[in-house]
Amino acid sequence: MSEVKITAETRSEFGKGAARRIRRENKVPGVLYGHGTDPVHLTLPGHDLMMALKTSNVLLSLDLDGKTELAIPKAVQRDPLKGFLEHVDLLLVKRGEQVNVEIPVVTEGELAPGGNLLEHVLNALPVEAEATHIPESLSVSVAGLEAGASVLAKDIALPKGVSLAVEADTVVLQVLAAQAEEPAEGAESAESAEA
């Protein structure tokens, strides 16, 4: 897991007007909370934060008023049309601490022949992992799976120090049988006209 250093500033202005001013300066308003401390309102550099958030469950090393704090993104708000970052909630973590996160599930291999469909019941698997060793993704082989087969949470190999945060029998992936398409009415009448 990558650790990204970002310089943050505390802020004392709140509300829509202050948030708009911050965004005009290509910065993002945010809140840092956790460990029973009072929430700290932050201003983060927009471009650096956007690049860091391209990695799921990134560990942020915040340089805040001369101190270094570790945090993971808990909630990210984006503009629905343009996709710009509007606000971010960061959870304060410590080295060695266990945190609950969702890890993206990545599939490998080809299904058995027959045109079957693979349904992702869960795109990300809820797990508990050490805050500084969160895996970026979990790989699952679907090679040769046939219709009706499913992959349960307990079937996914987890790295050392990572445990499931869902029931072991939770379905993560399932293979659906291909539906046979009925010929369109226009095609049938054209065939009978040719005969």
Side-chain angles (χ1 to χ4, degrees), residues 147-163:
S150 58
V151 176
L152 304 178
K154 66 182 176 184
D155 300 332
I156 298 174
L158 299 174
K160 184 181 175 193
V162 177
S163 60

Side-chain angles (χ1 to χ4, degrees), residues 35-97:
H35 294 274
T37 61
D38 290 332
V40 178
H41 297 272
L42 308 171
T43 301
L44 302 150
H47 181 74
D48 294 347
L49 183 61
M50 181 187 66
M51 296 306 287
L53 292 177
K54 289 188 183 229
T55 304
S56 65
N57 296 314
V58 66
L59 182 66
L60 299 173
S61 176
L62 299 174
D63 182 9
L64 181 63
D65 297 333
K67 293 190 303 184
T68 301
E69 301 281 6
L70 292 176
I72 57 173
K74 199 65 179 167
V76 178
Q77 296 173 7
R78 295 181 184 272
D79 181 276
L81 297 175
K82 297 180 182 176
F84 297 129
L85 294 172
E86 289 192 335
H87 190 273
V88 65
D89 286 359
L90 302 173
L91 180 64
L92 195 60
V93 295
K94 292 182 178 161
R95 293 189 191 282
E97 177 185 4

Side-chain angles (χ1 to χ4, degrees), residues 7 36 61 82 84 94 112 128-129 140 142 144 156 167 177 185:
T7 303
S61 176
K82 297 180 182 176
F84 297 129
K94 292 182 178 161
E128 187 175 281
V140 179
V142 294
I156 298 174
E167 294 291 326
E185 286 184 29

